[in-house]
Amino acid sequence: MEAAMVALLTALPSLIAGPASAVVICVLAMVGAGYIFTKVIIPEQRASLDKVLADSHENRKIFQQAVVAIDERFKSMERNVSSVKKDVDKIEKDISEIKMKI
C-alpha cells in the first residue's frame, strides 16, 4: 500500500503539469466563462435592450401626439387660408365689377 502511495505521489506532479491537465483546465475555464456569460452578461444585455425598447415606445407615443397636434394646427391654418381666399375672391370680384362700371 505504501509503495502505491509513493508511486502516486511521485506521479502526481507530472499528471498535474501534463497535457491532460491543460485540457481539463481549459474545459473548466470555458465552463466558467460560459456560466458567467449566461448568468451575468446576457441578462444585463437583455435588461439594456428592454430599456431601449421601452424608451422607443414612449418616444413613439410622444412623436404621434406631436404629429396629431401639428395636423390640427395645419387644419386650422387651412380653414383660415380658405376663409381668406374666399374674402380675396370676393374683393377681386367687387373690384372687377367696379372696373366694369367705370
Side-chain angles (χ1 to χ4, degrees), residues 85-99:
K85 185 177 182 317
K86 287 178 185 176
D87 291 345
V88 168
D89 288 344
K90 184 179 178 202
I91 292 170
E92 285 178 345
K93 182 181 175 189
D94 291 345
I95 289 174
S96 67
E97 286 178 4
I98 292 173
K99 283 184 177 179

Side-chain angles (χ1 to χ4, degrees), residues 2-3 9 11 13 15 38 40 42 44 69-70 73 90 95 100:
E2 276 184 42
L9 288 176
L15 288 175
T38 57
V40 177
I42 290 177
E44 287 178 4
I70 290 170
R73 286 182 184 172
K90 184 179 178 202
I95 289 174
M100 295 277 260

Side-chain angles (χ1 to χ4, degrees), residues 44-73:
E44 287 178 4
Q45 291 295 321
R46 186 177 193 99
S48 177
L49 184 61
D50 289 343
K51 184 177 183 274
V52 167
L53 288 174
D55 289 347
S56 75
H57 287 300
E58 184 178 324
N59 289 341
R60 186 165 188 249
K61 286 180 185 177
I62 292 169
F63 180 74
Q64 285 176 336
Q65 291 172 349
V67 167
V68 168
I70 290 170
D71 186 49
E72 289 299 320
R73 286 182 184 172

